[in-house]
Amino acid sequence: MSRYDCCGAQVVEAHGDYDMHSIGPLAEALKTATETHPKVVLDASGVAFADSTFLNLVILIHQTGKLRMVAPSEQVRRLCAITGVADILQIRETVDDAVAS
């Protein structure tokens, strides 16, 4: 995982698998980003596996009104579609689109 600033937003790039055993660092990064930036962009293109723990975290951060998700992997897209979360998230194709929205 990596983080960087882009046009006043904090971008968090997530990579790998996220479940109840591995979600901690991502949760901390997103929480810190929401506390320090007006907009948070989660680049989910590198997420190979995500379960309900990841989904719950995304929903929690989304409730702050600051989260945009970028280019989720096919597995994450399916998870969001099946659960209906795709209808409430602000999903964008690029970081630039997410920062501008």
Side-chain angles (χ1 to χ4, degrees), residues 13-48:
E13 293 179 332
H15 302 279
D17 298 344
Y18 291 98
D19 60 21
M20 66 185 289
H21 301 291
S22 60
I23 200 75
L26 179 60
E28 188 59 35
L30 289 172
K31 181 178 180 255
T32 299
T34 61
E35 293 170 350
T36 59
H37 290 79
K39 189 178 294 181
V40 177
V41 176
L42 173 59
D43 182 343
S45 60
V47 177

Side-chain angles (χ1 to χ4, degrees), residues 4 10-14 39-47 54 58 67-74 76-77 89-101:
Y4 63 91
Q10 174 102 131
V11 179
V12 178
E13 293 179 332
K39 189 178 294 181
V40 177
V41 176
L42 173 59
D43 182 343
S45 60
V47 177
F54 175 87
V58 169
L67 182 69
R68 310 294 187 270
M69 185 184 292
V70 171
S73 65
E74 187 58 36
V76 173
R77 283 184 191 272
L89 291 180
Q90 295 193 36
I91 299 175
R92 305 291 186 257
E93 291 305 313
T94 68
V95 170
D96 290 338
D97 289 346
V99 170
S101 66

Side-chain angles (χ1 to χ4, degrees), residues 40-80:
V40 177
V41 176
L42 173 59
D43 182 343
S45 60
V47 177
F49 171 81
D51 69 2
S52 62
T53 308
F54 175 87
L55 198 59
N56 286 334
L57 173 63
V58 169
I59 292 168
L60 179 68
I61 299 300
H62 170 74
Q63 290 175 339
T64 67
K66 299 180 178 187
L67 182 69
R68 310 294 187 270
M69 185 184 292
V70 171
S73 65
E74 187 58 36
Q75 194 272 334
V76 173
R77 283 184 191 272
R78 269 194 314 271
L79 179 65
C80 291

